[in-house]
Amino acid sequence: MTAQTPPAQTPPVPARPVDPATTAPQLDDLDALRGAAHGCTGCELWEPATQTVFGSGPASAWLMFVGEQPGDREDLAGEPFVGAAGRLLDSALERAGIARGDTYVTNAVKHFRFEQRGSRRIHKTPAVGHVRACRPWLDAELRVVHPTVVATLGATAGKALLGPKFRITESRGTVLDWEGFALVPTIHPSAILRMEPDEKDAALDAFVADLQVAAAQHA
């Protein structure tokens, strides 16, 4: 019996196209925001992606993490930070004494931007226009969760909130006053995963130290 090749997966077409600029500001509930974002067509990334990957965590979270965008695993699962970077984040949170259940994790861009290479989907950094199109969802998440502390993970997230002049090397691990929030920039855990083996331990220690700075703002 010949094995059947599974049909190619096609992205779902939103039943109701949603413009985040007009929809997100009207919603004050995470479930409502998540449901509306499922149909987001604010930029072209919704077409090749499997689905919108909205934020995850309780509305009572005191700490909000803002990353860049979902990866391949997150795009398929529909949840942020469930791949290798998410596992590294969980480990760092445990070392820093922060309960994952007290945090809300999201991304500056809610769809996976990638380049197809054969059967593989290779991460591609979102453009400024993608970050701008998704900003209303992020603003709404900040409004509804209203955390004590915001931690940006990586350059894209930092620039999304702090502007194009943001540099991680200048600001990581410091406490910035931003829009009434205590904001602590740090690196993205995926950056640690890409490092050489002999660099990873020190990089993880530094990442944990940044998280401890964030935790101190809640004490």
Side-chain angles (χ1 to χ4, degrees):
M1 186 173 180
T2 304
Q4 296 295 312
T5 302
Q9 188 177 40
T10 56
V13 178
R16 209 166 34 83
V18 172
D19 177 2
T22 57
T23 303
Q26 302 176 32
L27 302 175
D28 294 305
D29 173 84
L30 284 178
D31 288 338
L33 283 166
R34 188 174 292 107
H38 178 72
C40 183
T41 53
C43 74
E44 81 284 359
L45 293 184
W46 73 268
E47 296 186 76
T50 303
Q51 59 194 313
T52 303
V53 181
F54 205 69
S56 176
S60 59
W62 65 265
L63 172 58
M64 178 184 285
F65 286 105
V66 180
E68 180 190 271
Q69 66 167 358
D72 183 76
R73 286 285 302 278
E74 289 77 12
D75 172 75
L76 296 173
E79 290 288 331
F81 289 90
V82 295
R87 292 191 294 273
L88 190 107
L89 175 61
D90 287 346
S91 175
L93 285 171
E94 185 175 2
R95 285 183 53 185
I98 301 171
R100 174 72 184 256
D102 291 337
T103 71
Y104 183 90
V105 292
T106 191
N107 285 296
V109 174
K110 312 301 192 206
H111 284 111
F112 180 33
R113 189 187 192 202
F114 61 91
E115 179 181 318
Q116 193 77 43
R117 294 184 191 171
S119 61
R120 299 179 62 205
R121 301 190 301 173
I122 307 301
H123 166 277
K124 192 172 182 181
T125 302
V128 172
H130 302 133
V131 174
R132 192 173 294 137
C134 252
R135 182 59 185 268
W137 297 124
L138 182 55
D139 285 342
E141 289 173 294
L142 285 163
R143 184 182 72 248
V144 173
V145 178
H146 201 75
T148 306
V149 186
V150 176
T152 56
L153 302 174
T156 298
K159 289 178 180 179
L161 296 184
L162 297 167
K165 294 183 179 180
F166 168 78
R167 296 291 182 272
I168 286 184
T169 52
E170 298 173 2
S171 302
R172 69 166 297 181
T174 62
V175 182
L176 307 176
D177 183 4
W178 175 80
E179 302 287 333
F181 299 101
L183 190 150
V184 179
T186 186
I187 63 173
H188 197 288
S190 63
I192 300 175
L193 295 174
R194 293 192 298 269
M195 291 180 180
E196 296 298 324
D198 60 347
E199 299 176 328
K200 288 184 178 180
D201 286 347
L204 182 56
D205 289 344
F207 183 49
V208 171
D210 291 345
L211 298 184
Q212 289 171 331
V213 170
Q217 308 312 303
H218 181 63

